[in-house]
Amino acid sequence: MKNGPGTAVLDEILEPLSRCFGLETARALVRFRVDDRTQARVEALAEKCDEGQLTAEERNEYEAHVQASTLVGILQAKARRLLAEAGAV
């Protein structure tokens, strides 16, 4: 996952939302993982991307997965921080 200006903007936008997390919500976010089928699909698309073999439709799908992963990753980082600050890790 690339960190760039878009990620910084997303992080800034999500900051107020993260202040709404309770400890249980934070724990659930930290535990969140995509299902095996989705993970396998992302890995297949990533491999095709590395090989320059994605169709336009696959590229759009892969980019959507990357964007969703970035969003979830930022929320998980904020949840981990909340749990650490609360001593509830």
Side-chain angles (χ1 to χ4, degrees):
M1 173 175 20
K2 291 182 180 178
N3 290 329
T7 302
V9 169
L10 189 56
D11 182 53
E12 183 178 329
I13 290 171
L14 293 174
E15 184 58 33
L17 176 65
S18 71
R19 287 187 230 124
C20 299
F21 296 168
L23 294 180
E24 288 308 310
T25 300
R27 286 185 187 103
L29 275 167
V30 168
R31 288 189 306 264
F32 175 78
R33 300 290 182 269
V34 297
D35 60 62
D36 291 342
R37 184 184 65 78
T38 301
Q39 185 61 41
R41 177 65 177 156
V42 171
E43 289 171 5
L45 290 170
E47 187 173 319
K48 285 184 80 173
C49 183
D50 289 344
E51 296 169 357
Q53 301 294 317
L54 287 177
T55 65
E57 185 176 318
E58 288 171 329
R59 178 165 300 285
N60 289 337
E61 180 185 357
Y62 184 56
E63 288 175 359
H65 282 292
V66 170
Q67 290 170 353
S69 176
T70 300
L71 173 70
V72 170
I74 290 169
L75 290 172
Q76 285 178 324
K78 291 181 179 304
R80 282 187 199 95
R81 185 184 68 212
L82 174 90
L83 292 171
E85 289 171 356
V89 181

